[in-house]
Structure formats: C-alpha cells, structure tokens
Amino acid sequence: MKYHALDTPALLVDRDRLEANLHNMAELTRCHGKMLRPHAKTHKTPEIAQMQLAAGAVGLTVAKLGEAEVFAEAGCTDIFIANQIVGEQKLERLVRLARQCTLRVGVDSLEVAVPLSEAARRAGVRVGVRLEVDTGLHRAGVRTKEEAIALAHALAKLPNLELDGIFTYEGHLYQANSDQERAIAIARMSETLADLRESLVRQGFAISVTSVGSTPGARFTAPVPGLDELRCGVYVFNDRMQVARGAPKESCALTVLTTVISVRPDGRVIVDAGTKALASDKPFADQTMGEVLEDTSLRFVAASEEHGHLQAEGGTRLRVGDKVRIVPNHACTCVNLHERMYVVKGEEVEDVWEIRARGKFL
Ligand SMILES: Cc1ncc(COP(=O)(O)O)c(C=O)c1O
C-alpha cells in the first residue's frame, strides 16, 4: 500500500531516516566509549526500543512509571525512570516492576527517597537510585554540592536502596543560541558533575555512572571524559526544533500526513491536522506550527484543534482531497497523540507500529 492511500491524519515514520538516526547516535556514543540509554518517551514504541537495544543501547530511559511498565512488558530488562516517583499507588507498582527488570529511579530529596525505601523493604526488593543534580534547568534536582553530599549520606542509611550514580538533564541547552553557548553550558555542567562525583567517591560512595541527557547536547557531551551515559531521546525522529539547533533537515523522520479539506480564495489552505494531530508547541518567533514537506512555500500559520491553516504565497495548486506531509515542531508531543505509526520506505507502507506507551503519564 502507498502512504497516499492512508486515511488522515496519519503519523508516518520514514524507515531509512529512522535507521540513519539510530545508527549515527549509536556510532557517536560508541566511538567515544559512552553508554547510550535512549529516552523512550519520544517514540513510546517497543519496536523502536528493540532497534535501539540491538544497536548497542545499554537499556532505556523513561519519564513515567506507566512507560516503564509497557517497555518491561515488551521485554526490556534494564530501565531507568529519570524522574521522581511519588505516591503510594505508584510505589506499589514500582516495587512490583523491580521484580520484573533491573530498575533505577531518580531521587532528589529524602521526601522522595524514604517512602521509596519503605515500599522496597516491604516488598523485599532492592531498587537502584540515581541522585538528580540541577545543573541549570532549574526543574528537579539538588542545587548544591553540599545538598547532594548530605542526601547521599542519608540515602546510605535507608534500607533496600542502592545509589549507583548521579544524573542531570541539561534541558537549559535548548535556550542556547549558538554552538559556542552550547559548548560553554556543557563545560560548566561537566565541571559541576565531575567535582561532585569526585567528592562522593572520596567519601566512600560507589558512584559508577554520571548520566546526562539531551539530543542537542550529545555532540558536545559525548567527547567529555567522566560523562559515562547519554540519554538522548528525540534524535530518533528529529523535528523542527532540532533542525533549529543544528540537525540536518533530511534527518527528520516523522511527519503527519494530512488532507486538504478546504481551499479559500485568498490562498489559505485548510487541512485536517490541527493541534490534536500535531501538538501545540509553538517554539518559533513566527508562530508556525510545522513545515509542509512537499512545498516549503506554504506556511503553516495557525491551527485549531482539528484544522491546520496553510498560507500559500501567490496561489496554490492544492485542491480539496490532496494530501501533504507536515514535519512537526516537536516530535515527542506529536507522537503521544497517535495510536499507531505507519512505517514508510519511499512511498510504500511497510509496517504499522502501535505506540503502546502513548498517554501513559501515570
Ligand atoms: C531527564 C531527561 N533525560 C533525557 C531527555 C532527552 O532529551 P532530548 O529530548 O533532548 O533528546 C529528557 C527530555 O526531556 C529528559 O527530561
């Protein structure tokens, strides 16, 4: 079947581009001797996780317990939830999962760690923990070296937890405007993490892993000695946000196929993909919602829930019923809206993958 024959809106993934992206990141990390633990919140799809593991990934990263459950069920044996897990219902599920696979989870306070330790002790399981450090994003994570060391000492006294590493997410890198700014931010982050790790090791803690994240950071973090593990996520598909940060346009593997449902006399073309098919991210100054792959002179100027507005400069040849593909601004939020993705090689649909962890935000 040709993808043009699909009903729309439909999420398409270009197999060749996906495979090239997987290969390139696997090579980047391998040639610098780094472990790759890709963030699966981007694709939420077991088939892609299997491809990442087959290409040498040491395990998966997820943000949510529900995602971890899906990937464990699909056979993934080593999962890091790079997030704080809080609340009785979740802790019950977490310790159950810890019997099924090697599980690590983030901690940045005793308020998070104590109930986790109690749940693990009650269930008779050991849970790996990694201490989250805020290196500039100002989201979760301990903010000072003193706070980190005090927390490590307190964790050592808690039963059934095993501290094996420190981690950060350098999401503030998304605000950097040039490679020079990115390099400076990474150098600062690396120094902070190296200094903390050295202090922890000196005080007797077995910190075997320093783990960092982010796709735009990968080419800067991969060569840094002392950073052991990269948790890039969005690299599998790339998107307009990554292109704005140096990824080649031809590496964008994900598109939303959409149908023209109305053509207005003023050259405005209305398609059947709005924010419920593409997500609402508008990170660009011009407020565009995506890019039309077939014709970049069409600007995706606005969207409501079920409608996308394309503006044609100087008229358009598009007619009602025509189909075009849209490159989303942000692949992760876009994928989460769809039940399945169609795997395309050239024009041919080769596979249909269920996005099994979509909507798993609990
Ligand atoms: C904790 C954590 N690690 C890794 C990543 C992956 O980063 P990216 O989306 O830039 O690939 C994210 C993304 O949000 C994250 O929150």
Side-chain angles (χ1 to χ4, degrees):
M1 180 192 202
K2 304 263 190 262
Y3 72 77
H4 276 284
L6 291 169
D7 201 1
T8 65
L11 191 67
L12 310 183
V13 60
D14 183 296
R15 191 192 288 269
D16 291 339
R17 291 182 178 197
L18 171 69
E19 285 176 359
N21 293 343
L22 292 173
H23 172 81
N24 291 342
M25 189 60 81
E27 275 303 292
L28 176 71
T29 46
R30 194 194 51 76
C31 82
H32 290 288
K34 300 296 155 80
M35 292 181 283
L36 178 61
R37 183 182 286 278
H39 207 312
K41 55 118 193 183
T42 299
H43 55 74
K44 290 175 171 271
T45 304
E47 282 84 349
I48 298 180
Q50 292 305 342
M51 291 166 88
Q52 291 174 316
L53 293 167
V58 294
L60 293 185
T61 305
V62 296
K64 294 292 183 158
L65 193 54
E67 294 171 334
E69 288 167 339
V70 167
F71 288 108
E73 185 63 36
C76 180
T77 55
D78 187 330
I79 300 177
F80 172 36
I81 307 176
N83 208 349
Q84 281 67 28
I85 299 297
V86 173
E88 243 172 69
Q89 297 100 317
K90 286 197 179 72
L91 289 174
E92 257 175 50
R93 286 163 54 205
L94 188 147
V95 294
R96 219 177 301 138
L97 194 62
R99 291 206 187 93
Q100 230 179 302
C101 65
T102 301
L103 189 66
R104 295 181 185 83
V105 61
V107 289
D108 69 350
S109 74
L110 269 183
E111 286 80 0
V112 169
V114 169
L116 175 66
S117 160
E118 279 168 7
R121 187 184 50 75
R122 277 199 306 274
V125 294
R126 297 193 71 77
V127 176
V129 291
R130 288 183 174 175
L131 201 156
E132 181 165 8
V133 185
D134 176 8
T135 52
L137 178 60
H138 307 319
R139 193 169 69 177
V142 294
R143 275 155 291 277
T144 64
K145 183 170 153 184
E146 292 68 34
E147 205 188 329
I149 291 172
L151 180 57
H153 280 285
L155 288 173
K157 297 196 184 91
L158 296 178
N160 297 66
L161 298 188
E162 232 158 76
L163 175 66
D164 85 327
I166 57 177
F167 79 103
T168 195
Y169 174 52
E170 69 279 14
H172 52 295
L173 215 65
Y174 276 86
Q175 308 310 322
N177 290 314
S178 64
D179 274 359
Q180 199 189 0
E181 282 184 28
R182 281 176 203 111
I184 291 169
I186 293 297
R188 273 201 205 114
M189 174 193 84
S190 308
E191 260 172 52
T192 304
L193 293 172
D195 180 47
L196 171 61
R197 181 171 178 168
E198 199 190 307
S199 299
L200 287 170
V201 169
R202 231 186 300 119
Q203 297 188 32
F205 293 100
I207 303 297
S208 55
V209 174
T210 299
S211 173
V212 297
S214 120
T215 294
R219 61 200 161 98
F220 301 94
T221 51
V224 178
L227 302 180
D228 308 296
E229 181 182 273
L230 273 62
R231 303 186 313 275
C232 319
V234 72
Y235 77 96
V236 289
F237 299 135
N238 282 327
D239 54 24
R240 292 186 82 212
M241 276 164 69
Q242 297 307 318
V243 170
R245 288 162 182 82
K249 252 188 177 187
E250 317 74 60
S251 70
C252 289
L254 196 80
T255 54
V256 172
L257 183 71
T258 181
T259 302
V260 174
I261 57 169
S262 186
V263 181
R264 298 165 50 88
D266 60 359
R268 196 158 270 216
V269 176
I270 308 297
V271 294
D272 67 354
T275 58
K276 283 184 175 167
L278 282 154
S280 309
D281 304 62
K282 280 198 276 187
F284 301 106
D286 66 3
Q287 302 283 296
T288 47
M289 297 292 300
E291 186 165 312
V292 183
L293 201 62
E294 284 78 3
D295 180 357
T296 48
S297 74
L298 282 168
R299 294 181 63 247
F300 199 136
V301 290
S304 49
E305 288 176 51
E306 312 295 358
H307 299 80
H309 297 230
L310 312 180
Q311 187 63 49
E313 301 305 333
T316 176
R317 293 220 297 270
L318 285 177
R319 294 287 170 264
V320 169
D322 287 348
K323 289 175 182 168
V324 291
R325 290 168 296 167
I326 311 287
V327 180
N329 286 346
H330 187 184
C332 310
T333 47
C334 175
V335 166
N336 189 47
L337 299 170
H338 293 260
E339 287 175 350
R340 61 191 69 86
M341 61 180 86
Y342 296 91
V343 186
V344 169
K345 197 171 174 81
E347 304 229 318
E348 209 61 45
V349 178
E350 288 194 337
D351 257 316
V352 186
W353 292 339
E354 195 190 337
I355 304 166
R356 251 192 271 168
R358 74 171 288 242
K360 299 288 183 197
F361 56 67
L362 285 184

